[in-house]
C-alpha cells in the first residue's frame, strides 16, 4: 500500500536519539528541548515559545493561558480535525461552529461576522451570545492543508468584536504571511503547532505554542509542568503534565534541519497533482490562497462535478490499486460529540468534505510511487469521461 504520509527520518534523527540515550537526558529536561523551543520561536517570529507533548495540548493551553474556560465560546470552523474542538472542550469552554470559505476552505470571516452581529451583544470580555448566555471570547482559524489564511481579515474581525485569535497551525510550520511575515508576527495571540507523525515536521508526537506575549508563554509553561514552584514539591495550581521530552525534541531538531527540503518536496508533490487536475473538467487542485507562502501539508485534488457519489468509487479504485486513499476530515458538526454544539449553516463544508481526495504526499515519496498514483488516477478518471 502506498501510504498517505509517512515520516521522513533519514537525517540526523537516529544520531540525536542516540545522544539522548548516551547522556541519559530522555525526559523533559535536556539540551534538545531548549534548542527546539528556540528554533520554534525563531521560525514563528516570537521571542519565546512553549514546547509540549501534542498539538491538542498546545491549543488547550493557549486557550487556558488566555483565561478562556467555563462559560466561554470559541468560534471554530467545522472543516478541521476534531482536536481543534476537543481543545476547547478540554478548556471547559464550548465551540461555536462556522462554515469555511469556498475558495480557501478556511474560517469564513464574512459568515463569522454576520453570525456575531446577529446573535451577540457587546460585553466587556468579548460578545454575549444571547441564545446560550455564554461569552464569545476567541476565534480559532485553522490552516487547512498548511495553507495561509487572510490574517489581516481575521485580525480585523477579532478587533472589531474584542476577540482573541488562536491559530491552529498544526500542519503549517515554516509557512509565512504576505511578504514573509512569520506566523507569530501577524498580530494573532497564539500560534499552535503539532508534530504528530503525519505532519510535515514530526517529533513522533509533540506540539508547541508561539506567542508575542512572554507572560502568556510563561503561564503555558507553568500549566504544562504541574504548576510547580521552585525545586521542591510545591505546586500552586491544579495543572498538567504536558511537556515535550528531550527524545521528541531530538527528532524535531533533526527534522527542522531539513525544513526547507521538506517544504520544497511538498510543493513539488502538490504541483504534480495540480497538473493532473488541470487536465480534468471535474477535478480541481486544493486551494492555493494568495496570502503568503503555503505549506502544502496534504495535496491531491477534489471533485467539482455533479455526482459526488463517484468519490466512493474512486476511493475503492485507488485502494484496489494499492494506494491509501481515505476520506478527508469528517466535519465537526457531523461528529457525535459535537452534534449539539452551536453551529451555523454549513453550505460549503457540508457539500465539500466528501469530494476531497488527499493523495500520498510523503516528502520522500519515490518517483515510481508518484507515477503509480497518477496512473491509477488517470485510469479511473479517463474511464469516467472526466479528462479533457
Ligand atoms: C494534527 C492536528 C491537530 C492535533 O495535533 P496532535 O498533535 O495530533 O494532538 C490539531 N489540528 C489540526 C488541524 C491537525 O491537523
Amino acid at each position: 500500500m502506498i501510504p498517505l504520509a509517512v515520516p521522513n527520518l533519514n537525517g540526523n534523527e537516529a544520531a540525536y536519539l542516540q545522544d539522548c540515550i548516551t547522556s541519559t537526558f530522555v525526559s523533559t529536561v535536556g539540551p534538545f528541548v531548549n534548542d527546539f523551543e528556540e528554533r520554534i520561536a525563531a521560525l514563528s517570529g516570537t521571542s519565546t515559545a512553549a514546547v509540549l507533548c501534542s498539538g491538542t495540548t498546545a491549543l488547550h493551553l493557549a486557550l487556558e493561558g488566555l483565561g478562556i474556560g467555563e462559560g466561554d465560546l470559541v468560534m471554530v470552523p467545522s472543516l478541521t480535525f476534531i482536536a481543534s474542538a476537543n481543545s476547547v472542550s478540554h478548556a471547559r469552554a464550548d465551540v461555536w461552529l462556522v462554515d469555511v470559505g469556498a475558495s480557501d476552505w478556511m474560517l469564513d470571516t464574512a459568515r463569522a461576522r454576520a453570525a456575531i452581529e446577529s446573535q451577540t451583544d457587546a460585553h466587556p470580555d468579548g460578545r454575549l451570545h444571547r441564545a446560550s448566555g455564554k461569552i464569545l471570547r476567541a476565534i480559532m482559524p485553522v490552516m487547512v492543508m498548511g495553507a495561509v489564511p487572510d490574517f489581516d481579515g481575521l485580525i480585523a474581525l477579532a478587533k472589531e468584536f474584542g476577540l482573541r485569535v488562536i491559530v491552529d497551525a498544526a500542519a503549517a510550520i515554516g509557512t509565512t504571511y504576505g511578504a514573509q511575515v512569520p506566523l507569530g508576527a501577524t498580530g494573532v495571540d497564539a500560534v499552535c503547532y503539532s508534530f504528530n507523525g503525519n505532519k510535515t515536521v514530526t517529533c513522533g508526537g509533540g506540539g508547541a505554542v508561539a506567542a508575542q506575549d512572554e507572560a502568556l508563554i510563561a503561564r503555558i509553561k507553568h500549566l504544562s509542568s504541574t504548576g510547580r514552584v521552585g525545586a521542591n514539591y510545591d505546586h500552586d495550581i491544579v495543572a498538567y503534565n504536558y511537556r515535550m521530552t528531550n527524545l521528541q525534541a531530538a527528532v524535531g531538531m533533526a527534522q527542522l534541519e531539513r525544513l526547507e527540503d521538506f517544504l520544497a518536496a511538498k510543493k513539488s508533490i502538490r504541483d504534480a497533482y495540480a497538473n493532473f487536475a488541470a487536465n480534468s473538467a471535474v477535478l480541481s487542485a486544493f486551494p492555493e490562497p494568495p496570502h503568503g507562502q503555503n505549506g502544502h501539508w496534504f495535496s491531491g485534488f477534489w471533485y467539482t462535478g455533479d455526482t459526488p457519489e463517484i468519490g466512493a468509487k474512486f476511493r475503492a479504485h485507488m485502494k484496489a490499486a494499492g494506494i491509501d486513499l481515505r476520506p478527508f476530515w469528517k466535519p465537526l458538526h457531523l461528529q457525535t460529540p459535537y452534534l449539539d454544539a452551536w453551529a451555523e449553516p454549513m453550505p460549503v463544508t457540508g457539500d465539500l468534505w466528501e469530494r476531497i481526495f488527499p493523495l500520498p504526499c510523503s516528502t520522500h515519496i519515490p518517483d515510481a510511487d508518484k507515477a503509480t498514483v497518477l496512473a491509477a488516477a488517470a485510469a479511473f478518471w479517463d474511464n469516467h469521461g472526466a479528462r479533457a
Side-chain angles (χ1 to χ4, degrees):
M1 190 68 99
I2 299 175
L4 172 63
V6 289
N8 180 337
L9 303 169
N10 304 328
N12 284 320
E13 287 81 2
Y16 293 173
L17 283 170
Q18 185 61 55
D19 287 350
C20 297
I21 308 281
T22 306
S23 69
T24 76
F25 280 105
V26 294
S27 193
T28 54
V29 172
F32 289 116
V33 174
N34 302 336
D35 291 350
F36 192 62
E37 192 177 286
E38 267 175 33
R39 286 283 286 128
I40 294 301
L43 275 169
S44 307
T46 62
S47 59
T48 56
V51 295
L52 303 163
C53 62
S54 71
T56 308
T57 55
L59 290 163
H60 171 193
L61 292 195
L63 291 162
E64 204 161 313
L66 287 164
I68 294 166
E70 184 108 48
D72 295 333
L73 284 176
V74 177
M75 198 172 253
V76 177
S78 189
L79 186 70
T80 183
F81 181 56
I82 197 165
S84 315
N86 286 349
S87 71
V88 176
S89 304
H90 294 159
R92 300 190 186 80
D94 288 293
V95 293
W96 182 1
L97 301 175
V98 283
D99 205 359
V100 296
S103 63
D104 67 2
W105 299 359
M106 291 188 277
L107 192 147
D108 184 326
T109 35
R111 283 179 191 279
R113 177 176 280 106
I116 294 168
E117 275 172 353
S118 64
Q119 298 175 49
T120 71
D121 297 312
H123 185 280
D125 297 329
R127 299 288 294 189
L128 173 66
H129 183 243
R130 283 189 295 272
S132 64
K134 295 181 191 275
I135 311 299
L136 177 66
R137 297 278 310 276
I139 57 174
M140 184 184 285
V142 178
M143 298 178 68
V144 174
M145 312 296 185
V148 178
D150 171 14
F151 279 114
D152 285 349
L154 290 163
I155 289 163
L157 173 79
K159 284 235 166 80
E160 188 178 338
F161 298 113
L163 307 174
R164 300 290 200 164
V165 183
I166 295 129
V167 184
D168 183 339
I173 188 88
T175 63
T176 54
Y177 181 58
Q180 309 225 326
V181 177
L183 299 182
T186 53
V188 302
D189 292 282
V191 178
C192 302
Y193 303 104
S194 163
F195 306 109
N196 187 37
N198 67 355
K199 307 299 200 239
T200 303
V201 163
T202 186
C203 294
V209 185
Q212 295 293 349
D213 179 352
E214 294 181 5
L216 170 62
I217 295 298
R219 276 198 301 283
I220 290 172
K221 288 186 177 179
H222 191 54
L223 282 164
S224 73
S225 50
T226 65
R228 196 177 65 149
V229 189
N232 300 322
Y233 288 103
D234 271 324
H235 308 262
D236 64 352
I237 49 169
V238 178
Y240 308 91
N241 178 10
Y242 279 179
R243 287 167 298 178
M244 175 175 277
T245 67
N246 204 45
L247 291 168
Q248 290 169 306
V251 175
M253 282 306 287
Q255 293 267 292
L256 287 183
E257 288 170 357
R258 292 185 294 153
L259 178 60
E260 290 309 317
D261 293 344
F262 287 174
L263 292 171
K266 290 283 190 189
K267 169 87 170 73
S268 119
I269 297 163
R270 180 216 143 78
D271 289 347
Y273 295 141
N275 285 340
F276 181 89
N279 287 318
S280 164
V282 293
L283 300 175
S284 264
F286 294 168
E288 181 81 336
H291 308 298
Q293 293 70 47
N294 296 312
H296 314 109
W297 167 48
F298 277 2
S299 49
F301 43 71
W302 67 287
Y303 176 72
T304 58
D306 298 330
T307 52
E309 312 78 58
I310 202 169
K313 277 192 194 162
F314 180 50
R315 276 186 272 269
H317 168 89
M318 295 297 268
K319 274 251 148 78
I323 294 151
D324 181 14
L325 174 53
R326 282 169 275 178
F328 191 55
W329 298 324
K330 183 176 174 183
L332 299 185
H333 68 282
L334 303 177
Q335 298 277 6
T336 304
Y338 296 103
L339 288 177
D340 295 330
W342 296 101
E344 296 308 298
M346 301 289 170
V348 177
T349 301
D351 178 62
L352 177 67
W353 71 282
E354 287 183 293
R355 297 169 172 267
I356 298 175
F357 306 122
L359 294 168
C361 61
S362 304
T363 52
H364 53 336
I365 184 174
D367 285 344
D369 283 3
K370 214 192 285 180
T372 302
V373 173
L374 290 170
F380 181 88
W381 293 107
D382 288 349
N383 274 331
H384 289 80
R387 298 193 90 205

